Amino acid sequence: MLMSACRLQRIQAHMMCGHAGPEVLLERVGNAGVITLNRPKVLNALTLNMIRLIYPQLKKWEADTETSVVIIKGAGEKAFCAGGDVTAVAEAGKSGDRLVKDLFREEYTLNNAIGTCRKPYVALIGGITMGGGVGLSVHGQFRVATEKTLFAMPETAIGLFPDVGGGYFLPRLKGKLGLFLALTGFRLKGRDVLRAGVATHFVESEKISALEKDLVDLRSPSVDDVAKVLDAYQGQSTLDAEKPFVLQQHMKDIDRLFEATSVEGIMNNLKTDGSPFAQKQAEMLSKMSPTSLKLTLKQMQAGATMSLQEVFVMEYRLSQACMNGHDFYEGVRAVLIDKDQNPKWKPSTLEEVTEKSVEKSFQSLGEHDLRL
């Protein structure tokens, strides 16, 4: 049933205008362009309005001879950016509103602009960094984690896939780690975000303000100059330095268990292995959308040999397939709206998700394809 016009207007206002106060702050500080995601009460969740503010300013700073470095950070203590406002996306998608086309198209265009930015780009990813927040950070040259960083790509739990360029950076992590993170939504914390290869540096949160000051005080810095400042602060960080990578003892298991050409093969590996670690991952995957798991595996396999731009084109096709499907709306309902954590996936089993249906999601959209 179609939404009322009033309800649709509320959704659009929520996505386009947000709450009181500017959703994003864009400032020149010294020689730096500073982007502050300014929705701390909702963990700096990314909206279309924010994307439309950030993109032109980033391009302006990139061309501006007086701007030498771009810094992006989140307001508040809890999050850099916990992701996109998927509840609003789901409601807009149910109504057939074009926001679901515009949001993904413009978000991926911004992600690509970050990945190709000619100026040093420094993302200070303290706190929760998931989904859309990953897209705003991981493609930049520098990603600075703190002990408060919590990184994850949990999209398979809501009937989606790890987008915003996940198909590019995840397959390029060591071994099968990226595939493991993509399918399970496993959460990396603190220094482990660096150890996994997601962050480029680790700096204690109490030193971030001083680091930012040193960055904005740099005069016409090169990438090497920025790197030297970051390296110096990282060298001062001793917090958790002696703790091993939480997944270190399981890396060989991950490489072995997630080495398969199908999700069914991975599940068989996990169930056959029978270790507590394998059992836990099998249990986790059994809760995810079977369709999402199959789309994600193919996304990872294909993205491993694609350029960043090719990955965004592929992911835009997948995003629209998900918007036209069932599981995304059901996942958002179960996880974020009703919070019963009991989604009714369709199809409900891996075996019912046909190769034909998976392939269809990757097909060209013709004139509606993303163009970068």
Side-chain angles (χ1 to χ4, degrees), residues 319-336:
S319 76
Q320 298 312 292
C322 290
M323 293 305 101
N324 291 325
H326 166 273
D327 281 7
F328 171 65
Y329 302 100
E330 174 61 9
V332 170
R333 180 206 64 77
V335 176
L336 299 174

Side-chain angles (χ1 to χ4, degrees), residues 221-288:
S222 66
V223 172
D224 288 342
D225 293 331
V226 173
K228 286 177 183 176
V229 172
L230 294 171
D231 290 345
Y233 273 86
Q234 178 160 278
Q236 299 170 24
S237 296
T238 57
L239 197 65
D240 296 329
E242 302 305 317
K243 291 183 179 179
F245 182 27
V246 71
L247 289 173
Q248 190 61 50
Q249 62 179 317
H250 298 300
M251 279 307 300
K252 290 183 178 178
D253 294 328
I254 289 171
D255 289 346
R256 174 173 54 84
L257 296 169
F258 284 77
E259 179 63 61
T261 57
S262 67
V263 181
E264 290 93 335
I266 292 170
M267 287 295 286
N268 183 63
N269 290 344
L270 293 170
K271 291 176 180 177
T272 301
D273 182 86
S275 66
F277 176 77
Q279 289 178 340
K280 186 174 182 180
Q281 306 320 311
E283 181 181 346
M284 184 64 69
L285 293 183
S286 69
K287 298 176 182 178
M288 306 305 189

Side-chain angles (χ1 to χ4, degrees), residues 163-266:
D163 65 334
V164 296
Y168 184 82
F169 83 88
L170 287 167
R172 286 164 174 79
L173 300 181
K174 51 192 170 187
K176 294 293 180 180
L177 178 59
L179 178 60
F180 167 77
L181 296 173
L183 293 177
T184 66
F186 186 90
R187 297 182 173 196
L188 295 170
K189 300 177 182 179
R191 194 180 288 270
D192 278 356
V193 182
L194 170 67
R195 293 181 175 122
V198 175
T200 59
H201 293 80
F202 177 89
V203 176
E204 293 165 24
S205 58
E206 64 182 25
K207 297 174 182 174
I208 290 294
S209 293
L211 167 62
E212 187 178 344
K213 183 179 186 303
D214 284 351
L215 288 173
V216 302
D217 286 346
L218 283 172
R219 291 183 177 274
S220 302
S222 66
V223 172
D224 288 342
D225 293 331
V226 173
K228 286 177 183 176
V229 172
L230 294 171
D231 290 345
Y233 273 86
Q234 178 160 278
Q236 299 170 24
S237 296
T238 57
L239 197 65
D240 296 329
E242 302 305 317
K243 291 183 179 179
F245 182 27
V246 71
L247 289 173
Q248 190 61 50
Q249 62 179 317
H250 298 300
M251 279 307 300
K252 290 183 178 178
D253 294 328
I254 289 171
D255 289 346
R256 174 173 54 84
L257 296 169
F258 284 77
E259 179 63 61
T261 57
S262 67
V263 181
E264 290 93 335
I266 292 170

